[in-house]
């Protein structure tokens, strides 16, 4: 059996080993004690951070802010559907990089930001300057407030006012360019170009007509068609008359073969001559009338009567005398007349056929010339329509531009920027921020140190960790 003293010694050793394996449970007092013990570590963290932050804070330059105010008259609506002018909408124009670029070109980067101008690459200088202007410019406006307040910060008081005035001037010019319809010149150039195309098309049409001996293809085609129809009608009439004249001529030639050039003349009796005349008249009219017509039947009756009279008279006669046969002469004269008429009609028919052939040739030529002329006329029509369209657009653009210029009074600068008298420095906020950040960093270092310690800082820590009461504590010196 072990003795009581041995049991006590063994239990204490076991408890110590168990305590070494446990992590101390810290209370507020324990953490405070640990932070106090890590005060030199916290000071080592706080001091350099504070020194660096204070150095940066004292190195911060003083800045000057110039202010300008712009009045925006709401509700001014420009012609042709332009948007209403409003203060929030104008802020987008004022903050545009184009405005910053124009202002920077006027003030120059070397004067506004000499540090950037000396240390940048040539191709990046302008972009860096525009970015610096955008960071330094601030503008604000409310929906219900027609005023725009613009501010610009710079290390130099005079430069802040100069740059802000340059920005406002560039903004006014930029918005004028945006609202002004710049298409007027483009429309005028397009109109003049199409008018030139129209003049060239007219010249091409005139040259084409002159080269092909034309004045107006459509009118000439209509005239040619009318002449062709007229000539065709005349040809049909002439051919009909020619056939009729040839038939009459052939009839007279047949009749003259049965008529003696000379005849016996009976002074006392002309019955035989009357009979011959009636027979000749019948033959002549047979060329125009049918055999059963009334005219031929009347002549047949008269011929029968004359023949019957001669049969009853016998050979009785009067004094006989020989001479030219009048009927022969009449038929011969008719033959000569019809021969001339036939010859004239044949010439007329040949001439009409020649004219019709010429008309047909000319018509075919016009048909061949029409597609090219139509193409030229289409080009002219397109140029004419385009010239008219761009002329109308030019008029609209000019009217829009004039109305826009009348609405330029919607923006007025109420208060130009002036050099500020007092500057603003960030030294005090930077110092306060430095002290706060350095203190937080030192506190964090102390807490880490306190949490990573394995010993017991106070008797309460031992009791919370081991669950055993502490009867006495001896301070170690």
């Amino acid at each position: 059996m072990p003795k009581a003293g041995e049991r006590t010694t063994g239990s204490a050793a076991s408890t110590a080993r168990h305590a070494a394996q446990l992590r101390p449970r810290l209370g507020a007092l324990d953490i405070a004690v640990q932070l106090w013990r890590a005060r030199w570590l916290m000071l080592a963290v706080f001091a350099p951070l504070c020194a660096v932050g204070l150095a940066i804070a004292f190195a911060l330059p003083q800045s000057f802010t110039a202010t300008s105010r712009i009045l925006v008259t709401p509700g001014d609506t420009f012609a042709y559907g332009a948007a209403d002018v409003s203060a929030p909408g104008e802020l987008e124009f004022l903050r545009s990089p184009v405005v910053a670029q124009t202002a920077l070109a006027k003030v120059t980067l070397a004067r506004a930001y000499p540090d950037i101008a000396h240390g940048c690459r040539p191709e990046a200088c302008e972009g860096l300057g525009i970015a610096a202007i955008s960071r330094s410019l601030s503008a604000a406006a409310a929906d219900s407030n027609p005023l725009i307040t613009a501010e610009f910060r710079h290390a130099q008081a005079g430069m802040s006012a100069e740059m802000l005035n340059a920005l406002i001037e560039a903004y006014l010019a930029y918005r004028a360019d945006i609202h002004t319809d710049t298409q007027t010149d483009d429309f005028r150039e397009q109109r003049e170009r199409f008018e030139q195309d129209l003049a060239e098309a007219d010249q091409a049409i005139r040259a084409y007509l002159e080269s092909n001996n034309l004045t107006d293809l459509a009118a000439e085609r209509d005239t040619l068609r009318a002449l062709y129809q007229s000539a065709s009608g005349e040809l049909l009439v002439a051919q009909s008359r020619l056939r009729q004249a040839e038939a009459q001529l052939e009839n007279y030639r047949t009749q003259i073969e049965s008529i003696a050039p000379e005849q016996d003349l009976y002074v006392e009796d002309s019955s035989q001559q009357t009979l011959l005349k009636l027979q000749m008249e019948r033959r002549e009219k047979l060329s125009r009338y049918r055999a059963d017509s009334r005219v031929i039947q009347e002549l047949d009756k008269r011929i029968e009567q004359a023949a019957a009279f001669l049969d009853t008279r016998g050979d009785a006669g009067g004094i006989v005398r020989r001479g030219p046969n009048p009927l022969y002469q009449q038929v011969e004269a008719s033959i000569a007349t019809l021969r001339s008429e036939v010859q004239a009609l044949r010439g007329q028919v040949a001439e009409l056929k020649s004219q019709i052939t010429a008309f047909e040739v000319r018509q075919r030529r016009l048909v061949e010339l029409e597609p090219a002329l139509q193409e030229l006329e289409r080009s002219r029509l397109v140029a004419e329509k385009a010239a008219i369209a761009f002329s109308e657009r030019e008029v609209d653009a000019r009217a829009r531009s004039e109305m826009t210029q009348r609405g330029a009074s919607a923006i007025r600068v109420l208060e130009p920027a002036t050099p500020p008298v007092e500057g603003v420095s960030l030294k005090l906020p930077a110092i306060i921020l430095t002290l706060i950040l350095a203190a937080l960093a030192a506190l964090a270092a102390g807490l880490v140190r306190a949490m990573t310690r394995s010993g017991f800082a106070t008797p309460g820590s031992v009791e919370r960790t081991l669950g055993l009461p502490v009867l006495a504590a001896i301070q170690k010196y």
Side-chain angles (χ1 to χ4, degrees):
M1 296 288 297
K3 297 180 179 181
E6 293 178 354
R7 288 198 300 268
T8 303
T9 305
S11 176
S14 175
T15 302
R17 288 193 300 271
H18 180 68
Q21 294 175 357
L22 295 178
R23 188 170 186 80
R25 298 177 62 183
L26 303 178
L29 181 60
D30 300 329
I31 294 174
V33 172
Q34 293 287 13
L35 290 177
W36 173 251
R37 291 177 180 176
R39 61 186 179 276
W40 299 114
L41 174 63
M42 295 170 61
L43 181 62
V45 174
F46 177 81
L49 291 178
C50 185
V52 173
L54 291 177
I56 294 175
F58 283 104
L60 291 176
Q62 189 178 19
S63 63
F64 295 87
T65 302
T67 305
S68 178
R69 290 179 176 82
I70 303 172
L71 176 63
V72 178
T73 304
D76 289 346
T77 304
F78 297 151
Y80 298 91
D84 292 341
V85 179
S86 61
E90 294 299 318
L91 291 177
E92 299 300 325
F93 292 117
L94 183 58
R95 295 167 181 165
S96 173
V98 178
V99 174
Q101 182 180 12
T102 305
L104 184 64
K106 180 179 180 180
V107 179
T108 70
L109 182 64
R111 292 182 58 241
Y113 300 100
D115 296 339
I116 296 178
H118 293 154
C120 66
R121 298 190 304 273
E123 64 275 9
C125 288
E126 185 178 19
L128 294 175
I130 293 174
I133 291 175
S134 299
R135 290 192 300 269
S136 300
L137 175 65
S138 61
D143 293 338
S144 59
N145 193 347
L147 285 177
I148 294 178
T149 302
E151 295 180 348
F152 189 81
R153 298 184 306 276
H154 198 272
Q156 301 177 12
M159 181 55 65
S160 64
E162 182 180 356
M163 181 60 76
L164 183 56
N165 289 329
L167 285 170
I168 293 175
E169 182 180 352
Y171 150 71
L172 294 175
Y174 177 65
R175 74 176 304 278
D177 292 340
I178 292 298
H179 287 297
T180 301
D181 194 344
T182 58
Q183 293 183 334
T184 304
D185 295 337
D186 297 337
F187 288 151
R188 184 180 65 255
E189 293 177 359
Q190 292 293 331
R191 174 182 58 79
E192 292 175 352
R193 185 172 68 84
F194 282 113
E195 287 178 350
Q196 180 64 28
D197 293 343
L198 179 60
E200 292 177 357
D202 288 335
Q203 180 62 30
I205 291 175
R206 286 194 296 269
Y208 187 79
L209 293 176
E210 291 176 359
S211 62
N212 293 282
N213 194 22
L214 294 173
T215 53
D216 187 346
L217 189 143
E220 184 169 349
R221 183 176 52 200
D222 295 339
T223 302
L224 193 61
R225 185 182 297 112
L227 292 175
Y228 180 85
Q229 293 176 354
S230 177
S232 299
E234 292 181 4
L235 177 62
L236 293 176
V237 173
Q239 288 177 338
S240 177
R241 290 176 57 193
L242 176 60
R243 286 193 295 270
Q244 182 179 359
E246 289 177 344
Q248 291 180 355
L249 180 60
E250 184 64 25
N251 188 21
Y252 280 129
R253 285 175 177 172
T254 304
Q255 290 180 4
I256 202 171
E257 291 178 356
S258 62
I259 301 174
E262 294 182 355
Q263 67 177 355
D264 296 335
L265 300 178
Y266 299 91
V267 178
E268 293 82 1
D269 187 5
S270 59
S271 299
Q272 184 68 32
Q273 185 177 1
T274 300
L275 178 60
L276 291 176
K277 286 182 178 182
L278 290 174
Q279 291 175 348
M280 291 297 299
E281 184 179 356
R282 183 181 184 281
R283 291 179 180 178
E284 188 272 333
K285 288 186 177 182
L286 279 175
S287 63
R288 291 180 293 171
Y289 300 97
R290 294 188 305 177
D292 59 349
S293 65
R294 184 176 180 182
V295 176
I296 300 300
Q297 291 177 357
E298 291 291 336
L299 287 174
D300 290 340
K301 291 180 180 180
R302 293 173 61 188
I303 291 171
E304 290 177 359
Q305 292 174 359
F309 175 76
L310 289 176
D311 291 340
T312 58
R313 187 173 60 86
D315 293 334
I319 300 172
V320 179
R321 188 175 54 170
R322 300 286 297 176
N325 189 345
L327 182 58
Y328 183 87
Q329 292 177 346
Q330 182 181 356
V331 173
E332 189 177 27
S334 298
I335 289 175
T337 302
L338 288 174
R339 187 183 294 115
S340 300
E341 183 177 357
V342 167
Q343 186 176 1
L345 289 173
R346 287 175 178 174
Q348 183 180 3
V349 169
E351 179 63 24
L352 289 173
K353 288 183 178 179
S354 176
Q355 291 180 3
I356 290 174
T357 302
F359 293 154
E360 291 175 348
V361 172
R362 187 59 176 170
Q363 283 181 336
R364 288 194 294 270
R365 179 59 178 164
L366 292 180
V367 171
E368 295 174 357
L369 296 176
E370 186 174 9
L373 182 60
Q374 287 179 347
E375 180 64 25
L376 293 175
E377 290 177 347
R378 279 194 297 268
S379 300
R380 183 193 179 282
L381 181 60
V382 170
E384 183 179 9
K385 289 183 177 179
I388 293 174
F390 278 101
S391 178
E392 293 175 352
R393 293 184 183 180
E394 180 185 0
V395 173
D396 292 342
R398 185 180 297 110
R400 188 185 302 112
S401 178
E402 291 175 356
M403 295 300 295
T404 302
Q405 292 175 359
R406 292 180 183 179
S409 59
I411 305 298
R412 286 181 291 176
V413 180
L414 294 182
E415 182 182 332
T418 57
V421 178
E422 296 181 356
V424 178
S425 178
L426 297 178
K427 291 182 180 180
L428 181 59
I431 291 173
I432 295 174
L433 180 62
T434 297
L435 293 176
I436 293 174
L437 293 177
L440 291 176
L443 180 61
L447 290 175
V448 171
R449 175 66 176 171
M451 295 299 179
T452 57
R453 292 289 296 268
S454 60
F456 299 100
T458 62
S461 176
V462 176
E463 292 179 352
R464 283 188 298 272
T465 304
L466 300 178
L468 299 176
V470 177
L471 299 179
I474 301 173
Q475 187 175 4
K476 182 181 180 180
Y477 292 97

